[in-house]
Amino acid sequence: MRCLIVDDSRHFLEAARGLLLREGVTVVGTATSAAEAGQLVDDLRPDVVLVDIDLGDESGFDLILQLRSAGSPPPMILISTHAEQDYADLIAASPAIGFVPKTNLSAAAIQRLLDRV
């Protein structure tokens, strides 16, 4: 599985990359902004994109809509430190295939969502 992680926290990006690499996921890239993410999706063609709901001044929901409108993006999974119920309606309405709390991030959690697609 080739994964791109989009999050405005460099600390989280490093931690998530390390965790997923140990679990056998190839992290092809990381992005800290919507513009960077859009470019990397085009350049790297990951199998899945993990998108933080809160990207500082930007919205992960907006990014997912941008990627969707730009063509045929890979499956996208929303991640956050917030609980899923805090954003349940927005998650359900988004083109994301699901949500994983950052504290539960794992290769298995990603694969479970990909298996439902």
Side-chain angles (χ1 to χ4, degrees):
M1 173 186 342
R2 300 175 67 250
C3 177
L4 171 68
I5 309 170
V6 184
D7 196 292
D8 62 322
S9 166
R10 293 204 184 274
H11 176 73
F12 176 77
L13 288 172
E14 291 174 23
R17 176 192 286 266
L19 168 78
L20 294 175
L21 287 171
R22 284 191 301 278
E23 294 185 354
V25 175
T26 301
V27 178
V28 295
T30 60
T32 58
S33 69
E36 188 180 11
Q39 187 62 51
L40 289 176
V41 166
D42 289 342
D43 293 347
L44 302 174
R45 297 286 180 210
D47 299 320
V48 63
V49 181
L50 304 179
V51 179
D52 188 17
I53 286 175
D54 182 13
L55 293 172
D57 293 340
E58 300 176 298
S59 163
F61 293 108
D62 291 344
L63 171 58
I64 285 179
L65 291 173
Q66 282 177 340
L67 293 173
R68 177 63 129 212
S69 68
S72 300
M76 297 172 284
I77 297 171
L78 289 161
I79 58 174
S80 182
T81 55
H82 298 282
E84 184 172 7
Q85 63 264 24
D86 293 347
Y87 294 100
D89 292 340
L90 292 171
I91 292 167
S94 82
I97 63 168
F99 172 85
V100 175
K102 287 183 178 181
T103 55
N104 294 351
L105 185 61
S106 68
I110 294 168
Q111 191 60 57
R112 274 192 298 276
L113 290 172
L114 288 173
D115 288 346
R116 297 191 318 192
V117 176

